[in-house]
């Protein structure tokens, strides 16, 4: 991406080097885990069911990712809570 | 104790064979006795990069079949004392030998050499399994591209599963100007993802192609070029020397680049 383009369009997409790194972190976490897409989806559904017993989750904006950092693979779930059930 | 090192990558075309030719030649130039084993059956090229293609008479297959003695198949390099090549057969496919035969050949070679360096074929099938079977150490060659890094990670997992635990990383074809422009992953980025120790950084350089055209590894030049120096430093690190990494980014720190970085780096 050119210098001028950056000056005049500061919101342009991130440099491709960073994009490569982010994409690799996700795909390598999947490769390492050896989990199939179906297994991940089942796990996602089951975790959601458990959480939904206690709180109301905003289903539209949940995130569920495997990510690799420094040789460790982590499962991160981001489940925004609408309200606490009584 | 002979060190048996396999040079592997998963992905093809990242510079395994070039790395093997240069690292082997550099180790020999440093005074070691080195045997290079081409494990890429059916697609052998190590002889070509070493400039030894006209001197190949027998191959590893002839040794296995008992058609010649092991010593007869070894091609000695006239320009370098202490370096020999065991060529792969060109006529047979990758299934031509078994893990046990590969282990047997390397075990017979080992007592006469300080280093046995095995050039692994691309892929993770039989040819790869054969090449890593005798090894106790591995060098992973990768380039700063998504496909190469992903395959490197896969191969690291397979090596660990085969109890090759001493694994080091070579990052090849580094382009400092692209890293500077944030359009290439930096060596640090790759290390963060693969999480294995670094042993060499090789710049992308036209002289690598010129040296392969001539069959003369870069490390043999009278006055070492930058890529030749980085390969030589890599070999010294293998022998245990502590050598600082050549700062490939140094030339990038011009005034123009500093201004450009000021504009292009994301604010914290």
């Amino acid at each position: 991406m050119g210098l001028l383009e950056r000056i005049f369009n500061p919101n342009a997409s991130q440099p491709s080097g960073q994009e490569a790194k982010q994409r690799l972190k996700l795909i390598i976490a999947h490769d390492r885990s050896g989990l199939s897409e179906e297994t991940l989806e089942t796990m996602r559904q089951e975790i959601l069911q458990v959480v939904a017993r206690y709180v109301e989750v905003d289903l539209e904006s949940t995130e569920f990712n495997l990510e690799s950092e420094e040789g460790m693979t982590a499962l991160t779930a981001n489940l925004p809570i609408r309200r606490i059930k009584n | 104790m002979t060190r048996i090192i396999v040079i592997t990558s998963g992905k093809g075309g990242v510079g395994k064979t070039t790395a093997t030719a240069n690292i082997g030649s550099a180790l020999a130039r440093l005074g070691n006795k080195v045997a290079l084993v081409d494990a890429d059956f059916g697609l052998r090229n190590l002889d070509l990069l070493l400039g030894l293609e006209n001197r190949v008479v027998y191959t590893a297959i002839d040794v296995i079949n008992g058609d010649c003695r092991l010593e007869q198949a070894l091609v000695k390099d006239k320009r370098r004392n202490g370096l020999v090549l065991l060529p792969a057969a060109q006529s047979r496919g990758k299934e031509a030998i078994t893990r046990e035969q590969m282990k047997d050949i390397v075990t017979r070679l080992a007592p006469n050499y300080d280093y046995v360096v095995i050039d692994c074929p691309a892929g993770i099938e039989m040819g790869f399994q054969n090449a890593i079977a005798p090894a106790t150490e591995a060098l992973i060659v990768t380039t700063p591209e998504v496909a190469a890094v992903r395959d490197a990670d896969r191969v690291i997992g397979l090596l660990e599963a085969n109890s090759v635990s001493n694994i080091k990383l070579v990052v090849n074809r580094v382009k400092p100007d692209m890293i500077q422009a944030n359009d290439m992953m930096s060596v640090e980025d790759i290390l963060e993802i693969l999480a294995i120790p670094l042993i060499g950084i090789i710049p992308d350089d036209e002289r690598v192609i010129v040296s392969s055209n001539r069959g003369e590894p870069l490390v043999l030049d009278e006055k070492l070029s930058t890529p030749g120096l980085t390969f030589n430093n890599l070999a010294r690190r293998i022998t245990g020397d502590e050598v600082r990494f050549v700062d490939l980014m140094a030339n990038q720190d011009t005034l123009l680049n500093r201004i450009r970085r000021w504009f292009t780096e994301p604010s914290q």
Side-chain angles (χ1 to χ4, degrees):
Chain A
M1 183 173 306
L3 174 61
L4 289 176
E5 200 179 334
R6 284 208 158 264
I7 295 171
F8 295 111
N9 184 8
N11 295 327
S13 62
Q14 63 171 340
S16 69
Q18 283 311 301
E19 202 176 327
K21 189 176 168 189
Q22 288 310 319
R23 291 177 62 215
L24 270 170
K25 279 189 179 175
L26 288 175
I27 194 65
I28 282 178
H30 276 266
D31 288 351
R32 282 184 192 162
S33 74
L35 294 170
S36 68
E37 284 302 318
E38 296 85 69
T39 315
L40 271 175
E41 179 56 23
T42 314
M43 196 158 72
R44 193 180 79 90
Q45 294 294 347
E46 287 177 12
I47 288 175
L48 272 177
Q49 276 170 25
V50 171
V51 176
R53 272 185 231 153
Y54 304 95
V55 295
E56 194 177 306
V57 175
D58 180 0
L59 291 174
E60 296 295 292
S61 45
T62 59
E63 280 177 38
F64 208 76
N65 284 321
L66 280 175
E67 220 162 308
S68 272
E69 201 86 45
E70 303 286 336
M72 283 276 293
T73 301
L75 171 69
T76 54
N78 192 353
L79 311 172
I81 296 168
R82 275 213 188 109
R83 65 182 184 88
I84 313 288
K85 287 184 177 173
N86 293 315
Chain B
M1 185 64 189
T2 309
R3 290 173 61 187
I4 300 166
I5 307 172
V6 63
I7 299 190
T8 181
S9 68
K11 189 177 177 302
V14 297
K16 271 183 306 294
T17 306
T18 305
T20 310
N22 278 288
I23 292 167
S25 301
L27 284 171
R29 212 175 83 141
L30 292 167
N32 298 288
K33 295 188 75 184
V34 182
L36 298 181
V37 177
D38 191 345
D40 203 346
F41 287 79
L43 292 169
R44 78 161 184 235
N45 280 321
L46 188 52
D47 52 337
L48 209 48
L49 294 196
L50 291 165
L52 296 175
E53 70 274 18
N54 292 329
R55 310 214 3 245
V56 175
V57 181
Y58 297 108
T59 69
I61 294 287
D62 299 312
V63 179
I64 289 165
N65 292 343
D67 294 335
C68 72
R69 285 178 291 111
L70 179 57
E71 293 70 31
Q72 287 177 296
L74 298 176
V75 182
K76 289 179 191 63
D77 194 333
K78 284 176 189 155
R79 294 160 298 175
R80 278 144 290 180
N81 278 329
L83 186 78
V84 299
L85 166 71
L86 178 63
Q90 179 67 342
S91 54
R92 310 259 200 111
K94 289 185 202 293
E95 320 291 313
I97 66 166
T98 66
R99 286 173 69 103
E100 275 58 46
Q101 287 168 331
M102 191 73 185
K103 274 190 191 169
D104 177 55
I105 283 199
V106 171
T107 310
R108 282 159 64 192
L109 267 175
N112 299 321
Y113 297 92
D114 301 311
Y115 293 90
V116 177
V117 183
I118 305 167
D119 184 22
C120 182
I124 51 171
E125 297 83 21
M126 201 61 214
F128 165 80
Q129 298 291 346
N130 287 340
I132 68 165
T136 52
E137 300 175 45
L139 298 187
I140 307 277
V141 183
T142 193
T143 61
E145 293 159 76
V146 285
V149 175
R150 183 195 193 176
D151 290 1
D153 187 74
R154 185 95 167 83
V155 163
I156 291 166
L158 291 171
L159 285 166
E160 284 168 348
N162 282 276
S163 27
V164 181
S165 51
N166 188 341
I167 308 172
K168 302 234 162 65
L169 186 69
V170 181
V171 184
N172 194 17
R173 302 223 185 99
V174 169
K175 286 173 173 273
D177 52 339
M178 285 192 76
I179 293 176
Q180 192 70 66
N182 285 317
D183 265 326
M184 179 176 268
M185 281 183 286
S186 66
V187 174
E188 292 75 24
D189 289 337
I190 298 171
L191 286 175
E192 191 186 320
I193 291 167
L194 295 179
I196 58 168
L198 179 70
I199 196 161
I201 306 171
I202 316 296
D204 188 53
D205 196 302
E206 292 175 358
R207 283 169 287 192
V208 175
I209 295 173
V210 173
S211 93
S212 69
N213 290 344
R214 301 212 163 103
E216 291 167 2
L218 287 160
V219 294
L220 300 181
D221 290 350
E222 199 76 1
K223 186 178 180 309
L224 288 177
S225 57
T226 308
L229 178 66
T230 55
F231 271 123
N232 199 54
N233 287 351
L234 196 171
R236 286 177 58 196
R237 288 185 201 107
I238 293 176
T239 66
D241 285 1
E242 284 198 21
V243 192
R244 280 185 52 171
F245 285 91
V246 174
D247 186 5
L248 299 174
M249 301 302 284
N251 293 335
Q252 300 299 315
D253 207 24
T254 58
L255 180 63
L256 183 68
N257 273 322
R258 261 178 283 172
I259 294 170
R260 190 200 306 198
R261 237 179 313 168
W262 189 59
F263 280 113
T264 55
E265 273 183 7
S267 48
Q268 297 303 310

